[in-house]
Structures are given as structure tokens and as C-alpha cells.
Amino acid sequence: MMNKVNYYLKSEEIIGDLPQKAAKPKLLLHACCAPCSTFPLTYLCPHFDVTIYYQNSNIYPEEEYNKRLNELKRFLHDFELKNNYHVELIIPLYDEKQYYAFLEKYKDYPEGSLRCFACYEKRMEEAYKYAQINQFDYFTTTLSVSRFKNSQKINEIGAKLENKFLPTKYFYSDFKKKDGNLVVEKMKKEYSLYQQQYCGCRFSYSEYLKRHK
């Protein structure tokens, strides 16, 4: 078994190598909800000019997609008031039907396996493409903040996509480390954030319903 990479240390190394007296680099952050954006923004905003890309056509149903989006908008407004960091929000077209057609071939895989890895990569690739086209210096995702998601796999995907979308560099991260997950819990209470009960896609929604019969 291969040794796991400490991606928190890699993120610290990237930040440590940033020019100290230059304008902040532009970073595009793929984010799936308000709670998952809490600690990553706290960590990134002192060092980067951050824009969030809400690429989440996986979320089912559309009412849930909009609920998470509106909560993210509210959080960004309150976060700016409290911390004086303005974070732009880009919202691409929602197309759950197209996303369902993509994920259907993985429907028999359990949550946390190949279905989820394919979902991570599709959303990250679409967001990374936007970052390259719009000349962002870095791209990353909030996905690694969740204790339910495989940070090793997420960063492997990021490294692969970096080769495709240079010169935009990938910002390696494991946002759950160094008490990042505890900060998330604290900030959820501080900002009174809605916490969804399932990951997002219609398959995870069905699994959630089965667990709560």
C-alpha cells in the first residue's frame, strides 16, 4: 500500500512560496455548499483573491440545489461583513438531467467509491476549465474539507487536471486537517448555516432515504 501524501503540508508550502509584496494571486475555488466553504475561505482569503465557482449540477432535486446556493450567497455576504474579504460567486448553468445521464453508469457503486470519484472529477474539470480560460493563477476545491471524502483521490484528480489546464496551477489541500473540520463546525453555528443531510446526487439522496425509513 502506498504511503499517503500530507496535502496539508503541500498547501503550506505553496503559501510559503508566494511573493510577499505582490498582488494576491487569483484563485478559483470550486465549492458545493456554504458549510464546506467556511474553513477553506478562512484559510485562503488572506493569501489569495478568491472567486467561488458553484459547479454542482449533481445536486438533486433542483429545490435542494437552490437551497444550498442561496445559503452560500447568504454566507458570503455575512463573511464579507465580518472579515472584509469580498468573494465573487460564479454560477454556471444547472443541468441535473445531463449530469444524471453521466452518473447513471455508476449507479451500482456505493457512495465513497467510483461513482463519487467520477463525480468529483467531472465537476472539478468543468471548474478548472473555467479557471484556465479566465486566467486564474490557481484552482482548488472545498471537497477535501469533508471527513466523508477521500482527500488523496481528490488531490490525485487535481494533479491530473493541472497537466491539462496549465498555466493555472492546482492548489493541493486537505482542508479537514489541523482542526479544519472543527473550524467548520464552529462557523456553521456562528453563521447559522443550513447543513444538508446527503452529498447531492439522486443516488446519494436515495441512499439517504433508505437510511431514514
Side-chain angles (χ1 to χ4, degrees):
M1 184 176 178
M2 296 181 63
N3 292 329
K4 290 184 177 181
V5 178
N6 188 327
Y7 287 109
Y8 171 78
L9 289 182
K10 288 182 75 73
S11 66
E12 289 285 281
E13 289 171 3
I14 294 171
I15 288 173
D17 289 339
L18 294 175
Q20 297 300 306
K21 295 186 178 180
K24 288 181 181 179
K26 291 171 55 183
L27 182 145
L28 188 73
L29 176 65
H30 164 256
C32 48
C33 64
C36 287
S37 303
T38 52
F39 176 71
L41 287 181
T42 300
Y43 184 77
L44 293 169
C45 283
H47 311 288
F48 298 94
D49 177 7
V50 180
T51 296
I52 282 183
Y53 196 75
Y54 188 73
Q55 176 58 275
N56 300 295
S57 288
N58 61 308
I59 298 175
Y60 174 85
E62 188 171 359
E63 291 80 6
E64 179 70 17
Y65 168 91
N66 287 324
K67 188 172 185 178
R68 298 186 195 187
L69 174 57
N70 289 332
E71 191 71 344
L72 178 59
K73 290 177 179 178
R74 182 178 69 83
F75 168 65
L76 292 180
H77 174 266
D78 294 346
F79 180 79
E80 180 174 2
L81 291 179
K82 288 189 177 184
N83 300 278
N84 202 31
Y85 291 123
H86 178 68
V87 178
E88 292 286 344
L89 176 61
I90 307 298
I91 308 166
L93 180 69
Y94 175 74
D95 189 353
E96 196 274 335
K97 289 183 179 179
Q98 180 270 337
Y99 211 92
Y100 173 69
F102 165 76
L103 275 186
E104 188 176 19
K105 57 182 173 290
Y106 303 102
K107 64 182 179 181
D108 295 326
Y109 289 92
E111 192 158 356
S113 65
L114 188 60
R115 185 185 77 218
C116 295
F117 300 159
C119 183
Y120 303 162
E121 183 162 352
K122 181 172 176 58
R123 286 185 287 158
M124 288 172 66
E125 182 169 14
E126 291 174 4
Y128 211 143
K129 182 178 181 181
Y130 181 92
Q132 183 201 53
I133 290 171
N134 290 277
Q135 300 181 325
F136 281 82
D137 301 294
Y138 288 89
F139 166 80
T140 196
T141 176
T142 64
L143 289 169
S144 71
V145 80
S146 171
R147 67 184 184 276
F148 300 110
K149 291 182 171 57
N150 187 325
S151 298
Q152 298 292 310
K153 188 65 179 178
I154 290 164
N155 283 283
E156 288 170 11
I157 292 168
K160 182 175 79 170
L161 293 175
E162 182 179 44
N163 292 327
K164 185 174 183 179
F165 292 115
L166 285 170
T168 301
K169 291 175 279 189
Y170 179 69
F171 183 86
Y172 293 91
S173 68
D174 193 349
F175 289 122
K176 69 175 71 64
K177 297 296 186 181
K178 295 297 179 180
D179 294 332
N181 54 345
L182 297 180
V183 175
V184 171
E185 294 303 316
K186 179 175 179 287
M187 292 181 71
K188 282 196 299 185
K189 293 177 182 177
E190 178 185 355
Y191 289 88
S192 300
L193 296 178
Y194 162 68
Q195 177 63 65
Q196 62 270 18
Q197 299 302 308
Y198 62 99
C199 183
C201 76
R202 61 174 65 206
F203 304 114
S204 65
Y205 180 62
S206 295
E207 291 169 11
Y208 163 73
L209 294 178
K210 288 177 183 177
R211 291 195 301 268
H212 292 82
K213 277 186 175 180

